[in-house]
Each structure stands twice: as structure tokens, then as C-alpha cells.
């Protein structure tokens, strides 16, 4: 554990945010270095974001299991990239989400990949926090295939089989500029935008407690105005929409259909623009791999019950291709916040559970 924590501190000290491509590469190389030699390493790059796929064979096979981890983090003040250990908590940006789990996956891969009776892969990406399209999705579009995926996002050794879908969209308002003292000569785009947002939030009020329903986060409102005494002619709002399966208005809808749906909330002169639509993620709870993960975690003293995630993860890209993916990772708290930490008491149990799961899977018949 002492040597593992030293490696974790080194990785956590890397400010691997989306705007620092050199640090993304440094984080990737650190984890690849911990895997060691003797494996095939395929490197990918898309949109300036590097990723890698590691496996034992000379040629890439169809993998029985893919261990997926992201090494990018959201921005943080400099002090959060100076890891500190306080009791059983390892504090740092990315400690819980999800560099520590990534290192555990790399360690398990290093120890088992060469001897398992089936092929596994370690998939390392550096863009999950900004959408995942240049990492996991990019690799899938280039032919990476697997039967089952374990994503090491934080879960406290619970098994996540469901997560929400995601819509990223803007509301864009147009009006007519005028002097602020002569409002009747203008048409305030910002006021039209605010009324449209009020309409939308009346349907989807801000959640004040955990609820499994559709939520709308208004992330930014802006105008190009540089003068206080000017009626704004343009205004824009950023929306982050998360929705569960079976939301009849959003689930299974195309970007064009969702655009039309959002338009119904908008005042004249306000137009929705949908950038991305990703479906909810779901994995079958009765499949042998899911039961095997639960059994392995319970053997470590954890309940290993099912958990639903409100945030999206890269498992949705596998789900769109008919591949079951689950989230299974260490414990901790505070992801994306000022006090993010990994619970180091969960590291060894997570390591042992992953190993047991992969070893036991070798006794099960492969899917057709």
C-alpha cells in the first residue's frame, strides 16, 4: 500500500485538465509506466486528446472484459494538485474521480492479463470530463470491441448499472439594441431568454434533494453587452439536461425532436440549439459478470448493492453498441469539489475484488 500511495500521489500531482495537453500525456504515460513492459500498447489521438489501449496479444482481439479509466480531471486551484493524506483520506483533485481507481485497474491488469484464459484490455482515456468523444468513443469507432466493460468511476464497491442520459444545448435569443434609457425603442433579448428559462424550469424545477427524474442545469447566461446603458440585442444560456430512461419527452428522441420539444418553452425570438444527445446507460443486472462483481465485492465485506448515477460516463458509448458496461470503483467523496478525497480503506478491497472477479470469470462460458 505504501508504494501504491506513492504512485498515486505522483499521478494526482499532475494537473491533467483539458486545457493542458502536455499534462494529459504525462498522466497517461505515468499509468502506462505502472503497467510495465510485455504488452501491446495502442496509442490513439483525437481532438488533441491522447488515449491508449493495452492488451497482451500482438493483434487486437475481441475482449472478454475491458477495464476503462479516465485520467483527466476538472480544473482546480494549485493546492488541490498537492496530494495530502489525512487519516484514511487521500485528498487531491482526481483522487475519487478517478485516478486512484485507474491505478488499481492498471495494477490488476499487469498482474493478471498475461495468464487469464481470455483476453482483457486496459482502456485509458483523457477526455471523459469533457464528453468522452475523443477517447472511448474514438477508440470504439476504430474497431475496439468487447463483451463487458468495468469503468472504474467511484462507487464505493457498489455496482452501477444505470446512469442518466445527457443533452447539451443552448438557448439563443435575438432582439434589437437601443439606449437603456429608451427601452421602448429596443427589444431586450435577455428578458426574452429569462422568460424562456422560467418556462423550462417550471417544468423541470431545480432539484433540492436526490431524485431520479429529469433535471435542467442553467450553467451560464451571457450577452455581448459592454455597456450598462444598452438594451442587449443578443443573449445566450447554456443548458445541461440529464434524463433517466423512459422519459417520454427525451429518451429515444433525436436531436431534431429534442430541439422541437425545447422550442415549445421558448418565447418568440428565442431558439434552442442542441449540440449533443446521449442516451441513458443501462446494463442487465442478471448477467453473470454483474453477479460475479457483486459476489467478489461481498467477499470483501461490502454490500455491493446496485447504484444509479445521475452523471453520465463513458459506458453510454458501449451501451449504444449493445455492450453492457458497469461502474465499479473505490470509495470517497467530494468529486469536483474543494475537498475531494479517496477513501484509502477501499483500495485494497477494490483490488482484491477485481482480481477475484476476473479469475472467476475464466470458469464461466464466454458469451456467444
Amino acid at each position: 500500500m505504501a508504494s501504491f500511495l506513492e504512485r498515486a500521489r505522483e499521478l494526482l500531482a499532475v494537473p491533467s485538465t483539458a486545457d493542458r495537453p502536455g499534462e494529459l500525456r504525462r498522466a497517461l504515460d505515468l499509468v502506462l509506466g505502472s503497467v510495465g513492459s510485455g504488452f501491446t500498447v495502442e496509442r490513439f489521438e483525437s481532438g488533441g486528446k491522447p488515449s491508449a489501449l493495452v492488451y497482451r496479444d500482438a493483434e487486437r482481439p475481441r475482449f472478454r472484459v475491458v477495464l476503462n479509466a479516465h485520467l483527466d480531471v476538472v480544473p482546480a486551484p494549485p493546492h488541490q494538485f498537492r496530494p495530502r493524506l489525512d487519516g484514511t483520506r487521500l485528498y487531491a483533485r482526481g483522487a475519487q474521480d478517478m485516478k486512484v481507481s485507474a491505478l488499481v485497474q492498471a495494477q490488476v491488469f499487469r498482474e493478471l492479463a498475461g495468464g487469464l484464459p481470455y483476453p482483457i484490455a486496459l482502456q485509458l482515456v483523457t477526455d471523459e470530463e469533457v464528453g468522452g468523444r475523443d477517447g472511448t468513443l474514438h477508440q470504439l469507432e476504430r474497431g475496439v470491441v468487447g463483451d463487458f466493460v468495468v469503468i472504474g468511476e467511484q462507487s464505493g464497491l457498489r455496482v452501477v448499472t444505470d446512469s442518466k442520459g445527457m443533452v447539451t444545448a443552448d438557448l439563443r435569443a435575438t432582439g434589437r439594441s437601443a439606449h437603456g434609457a429608451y427601452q421602448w425603442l429596443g427589444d431586450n433579448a435577455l428578458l426574452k431568454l429569462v422568460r424562456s428559462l422560467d418556462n423550462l424550469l417550471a417544468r423541470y424545477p431545480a432539484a433540492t434533494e436526490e431524485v431520479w427524474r429529469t433535471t435542467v442545469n442553467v450553467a451560464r447566461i451571457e450577452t455581448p453587452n459592454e455597456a450598462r446603458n444598452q438594451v442587449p440585442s443578443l443573449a445566450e444560456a447554456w443548458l445541461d439536461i440529464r434524463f433517466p430512461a423512459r422519459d417520454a419527452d427525451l429518451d429515444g428522441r433525436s436531436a431534431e425532436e429534442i430541439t422541437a420539444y425545447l422550442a415549445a418553452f421558448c418565447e418568440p425570438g428565442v431558439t434552442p440549439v442542441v449540440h449533443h444527445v446521449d442516451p441513458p446507460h443501462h446494463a442487465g443486472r442478471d448477467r453473470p459478470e454483474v453477479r460475479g462483481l457483486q459476489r467478489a465485492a461481498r467477499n470483501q465485506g461490502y454490500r455491493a448493492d446496485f447504484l444509479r448515477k445521475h452523471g453520465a460516463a463513458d459506458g453510454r458509448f458501449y451501451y449504444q453498441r449493445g455492450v453492457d458496461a458497469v461502474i465499479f470503483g473505490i470509495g470517497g467523496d467530494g468529486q469536483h469539489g474543494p475537498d475531494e478525497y479517496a477513501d484509502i480503506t477501499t483500495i485494497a478491497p477494490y483490488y482484491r475484488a477485481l482480481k477475484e472477479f476476473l479469475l472467476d470469470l475464466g470458469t464461466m462460458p464466454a458469451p456467444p
Side-chain angles (χ1 to χ4, degrees):
M1 180 61 72
S3 62
F4 178 88
L5 290 177
E6 281 304 308
R7 280 184 283 131
R9 285 172 180 267
E10 184 180 8
L11 180 61
L12 291 167
V14 179
S16 49
T17 54
D19 59 337
R20 296 179 173 183
E23 303 293 9
L24 295 177
R25 286 181 175 79
R26 186 154 72 99
L28 181 60
D29 289 341
L30 279 173
V31 179
L32 289 174
S34 75
V35 173
S37 59
F39 300 103
T40 297
V41 178
E42 271 193 84
R43 289 183 178 266
F44 302 80
E45 183 156 339
S46 174
K49 304 297 189 295
S51 65
L53 188 73
V54 191
Y55 47 90
R56 71 184 179 199
D57 303 305
E59 299 292 328
R60 184 205 303 162
R62 180 186 184 93
F63 300 106
R64 182 75 172 85
V65 176
V66 176
L67 303 177
N68 173 285
H70 74 84
L71 305 175
D72 57 314
V73 298
V74 298
H79 75 271
Q80 280 196 267
F81 294 104
R82 295 191 287 271
R84 63 182 177 89
L85 190 61
D86 184 356
T88 60
R89 296 179 176 185
L90 176 58
Y91 286 92
R93 169 62 79 238
Q96 186 201 21
D97 185 18
M98 57 162 283
K99 287 181 174 179
V100 173
S101 285
L103 277 178
V104 175
Q105 288 191 334
Q107 179 78 16
V108 169
F109 176 89
R110 174 180 179 169
E111 294 177 9
L112 296 187
L116 291 172
Y118 58 86
I120 68 171
L122 178 65
Q123 186 173 53
L124 302 170
V125 301
T126 64
D127 75 320
E128 192 272 348
E129 298 291 4
V130 291
R133 288 173 174 80
D134 291 313
T136 296
L137 179 59
H138 178 72
Q139 290 193 20
L140 294 179
E141 290 175 339
R142 273 141 191 83
V144 175
V145 290
D147 298 320
F148 186 73
V149 183
V150 179
I151 298 174
E153 294 274 7
Q154 69 285 345
S155 75
L157 278 78
R158 299 168 77 183
V159 181
V160 179
T161 56
D162 292 271
S163 56
K164 288 182 178 179
M166 176 172 62
V167 175
T168 56
D170 299 336
L171 297 186
R172 297 175 180 172
T174 59
R176 186 174 64 255
S177 185
H179 193 294
Y182 302 88
Q183 296 173 318
W184 56 91
L185 299 178
D187 181 18
N188 193 314
L190 181 56
L191 293 181
K192 292 192 288 188
L193 179 64
V194 169
R195 289 194 295 268
S196 300
L197 290 171
D198 284 343
N199 295 337
L200 185 61
L201 293 175
R203 172 68 178 85
Y204 301 106
T208 57
E209 60 184 4
E210 183 172 353
V211 288
W212 193 249
R213 65 163 173 84
T214 297
T215 58
V216 175
N217 179 56
V218 181
R220 187 164 86 172
I221 300 175
E222 63 178 357
T223 78
N225 269 24
E226 295 184 359
R228 188 184 298 269
N229 61 345
Q230 186 178 35
V231 174
S233 61
L234 298 172
E236 181 177 87
W238 289 0
L239 302 180
D240 177 64
I241 304 172
R242 307 299 175 112
F243 62 96
R246 293 178 292 281
D247 180 317
D249 297 314
L250 300 173
D251 191 12
R253 304 294 184 180
S254 67
E256 292 76 16
E257 290 172 320
I258 293 175
T259 299
Y261 176 70
L262 294 176
F265 297 94
C266 293
E267 299 278 318
V270 180
T271 303
V273 177
V274 173
H275 298 290
H276 295 293
V277 179
D278 290 316
H281 144 257
H282 173 74
R285 293 184 171 185
D286 292 328
R287 66 178 293 158
E289 295 91 341
V290 173
R291 294 199 301 269
L293 268 179
Q294 287 187 301
R295 184 167 54 251
R298 287 169 182 157
N299 286 342
Q300 297 301 318
Y302 289 79
R303 291 175 55 194
D305 51 340
F306 292 117
L307 178 67
R308 298 186 296 194
K309 287 271 190 177
H310 297 272
D314 282 357
R316 68 193 190 276
F317 300 124
Y318 282 100
Y319 175 68
Q320 288 172 293
R321 287 158 174 77
V323 178
D324 276 355
V326 299
I327 291 172
F328 181 70
I330 64 161
D333 205 352
Q335 66 182 99
H336 295 195
D339 298 308
E340 179 179 357
Y341 70 90
D343 179 354
I344 65 171
T345 67
T346 66
I347 293 174
Y350 178 58
Y351 161 80
R352 292 192 293 263
L354 266 185
K355 289 187 70 173
E356 179 182 327
F357 161 71
L358 291 170
L359 290 168
D360 287 351
L361 197 59
T363 67
M364 302 178 191

